[in-house]
Amino acid sequence: GGNALLASGLITTARVRQDAPTVLHSTDELVTVEVPQGTIANANEISIELLDPLHIDFVSSRYEVRASEIYKFGPSGTTFSRPIELRIKIHPTIANECPNNLYFYLYDDDEYLKSVIPSHSIDCENGIAVFKMNSFSVGHLSTETEGSATLEDAKQEAKENNEDASNVNKTLYKLL
């Protein structure tokens, strides 16, 4: 299959294949991305980079809800013709509580919150949360959803105040 894995520092890469699923694991082996066979991507190669949380601005503001390392899925802006699967190992403490939902926070290149994806499924016995996504950026696992609710509230408030809702994300980020 498409399991080619090249480790270079804290980055792993794999060539996206059409004839077989593409499977890519992070260097810490806690994250797996699977691109289904026949999925078209706007990049020939995909990567997972383990980021240093001390060098990322959004970490300090959202640190309390982060439940994993921070990963950069690249190239940034890569999109897929059908959903890809992101599997992330969850901490035993979280798995033991077996939550109904976990969330994957995605940020844009400027480190502003882009979206919050609810888990597709959670396998508490094996400690794995599964997410479906259609694009790549920087993200982390979270047990909370404040970001998504706050983002919607901020967009609604902007609409009421006749502001441009597309700029709300950057304003919201500054408030967190």
Side-chain angles (χ1 to χ4, degrees):
N3 293 356
L5 185 67
L6 303 169
S8 171
L10 298 176
I11 302 174
T12 54
T13 60
R15 182 166 286 294
V16 178
R17 299 184 45 164
Q18 295 290 306
D19 60 341
T22 302
V23 179
L24 179 61
H25 304 279
S26 59
T27 54
D28 61 4
E29 299 186 352
L30 297 179
V31 171
T32 301
V33 168
E34 184 167 338
V35 180
Q37 180 176 338
T39 301
I40 299 166
N42 63 349
N44 293 327
E45 211 173 68
I46 57 171
S47 63
I48 304 174
E49 180 180 1
L50 184 58
L51 298 182
D52 179 353
L54 298 177
H55 292 95
I56 300 173
D57 289 340
F58 67 72
V59 174
S60 57
S61 60
R62 302 301 306 172
Y63 190 80
E64 71 282 359
V65 299
R66 194 163 59 83
S68 75
E69 295 299 326
I70 300 167
Y71 299 91
K72 180 176 184 176
F73 301 93
S76 181
T78 300
T79 56
F80 302 91
S81 62
R82 63 177 78 159
I84 60 164
E85 193 171 271
L86 167 68
R87 294 186 297 271
I88 186 164
K89 290 188 181 172
I90 54 179
H91 192 276
T93 306
I94 297 170
N96 289 341
E97 293 170 6
C98 203
N100 290 328
N101 280 303
L102 288 170
Y103 304 89
F104 202 80
Y105 279 60
L106 286 173
Y107 298 85
D108 65 20
D109 288 343
D110 295 325
E111 297 171 3
Y112 294 109
L113 184 63
K114 182 167 84 170
S115 61
V116 179
I117 301 172
S119 51
H120 178 72
S121 62
I122 301 172
D123 176 351
C124 293
E125 192 175 318
N126 294 305
I128 296 172
V130 177
F131 298 87
K132 300 282 187 177
M133 12 199 298
N134 285 84
S135 66
F136 269 181
S137 64
V138 174
H140 65 80
L141 181 68
S142 176
T143 55
E144 300 178 29
T145 60
E146 279 87 76
S148 56
T150 310
L151 185 57
E152 289 311 310
D153 292 346
K155 282 183 179 173
Q156 182 59 38
E157 191 176 311
K159 197 175 183 181
E160 290 166 8
N161 296 332
N162 293 323
E163 293 174 17
D164 180 3
S166 65
N167 289 327
V168 170
N169 225 353
K170 298 189 187 313
T171 307
L172 173 65
Y173 167 81
K174 306 250 185 272
L175 300 174
L176 294 176

